[in-house]
Amino acid sequence: MTSEQVVFYILLALVLGLLPAIIGKIKGYSFLVWWFLGAAFFIIAFPLVVFISSDYKKCPFCSEKIKKSATVCRFCQRELSLK
Ligand SMILES: [Zn+2]
């Protein structure tokens, strides 16, 4: 492999890694962690991030997206019962 090919495959991995990174970010996880995982292990990281459950839920009072572990809504400040 020439050095140009090495650079090409590294760039390809970084671009492919963006896909799980973006999906992970939407679901409330770290963009950088999923970018790294996606670039290093795209075959594993991509299905994993697609099937992993989102870290968010909807606030029952104001319907805003909040973290699953939240006990108080950051938008309407109402207390949420933990289920
Ligand atoms: Zn709320």
Side-chain angles (χ1 to χ4, degrees):
M1 235 178 3
T2 66
S3 60
E4 283 90 10
Q5 280 174 314
V6 173
V7 170
F8 174 75
Y9 283 115
I10 291 171
L11 285 176
L12 189 72
L14 289 177
V15 170
L16 276 178
L18 282 174
L19 222 62
I22 291 164
I23 298 169
K25 180 76 191 156
I26 291 168
K27 291 191 171 185
Y29 297 100
S30 165
F31 182 88
L32 282 176
V33 168
W34 280 104
W35 194 10
F36 173 77
L37 286 175
F41 319 100
F42 182 78
I43 300 297
I44 300 163
F46 186 65
L48 195 68
V49 79
V50 167
F51 288 113
I52 207 168
S53 69
S54 172
D55 200 25
Y56 286 111
K57 64 179 177 183
K58 255 189 179 182
C59 171
F61 303 106
C62 66
S63 300
E64 286 290 346
K65 252 166 87 178
I66 50 168
K67 289 262 183 179
K68 261 183 185 167
S69 53
T71 52
V72 175
C73 174
R74 69 187 176 101
F75 296 99
C76 64
Q77 265 72 38
R78 291 212 219 190
E79 244 179 78
L80 306 155
S81 56
L82 279 177
K83 274 182 188 168

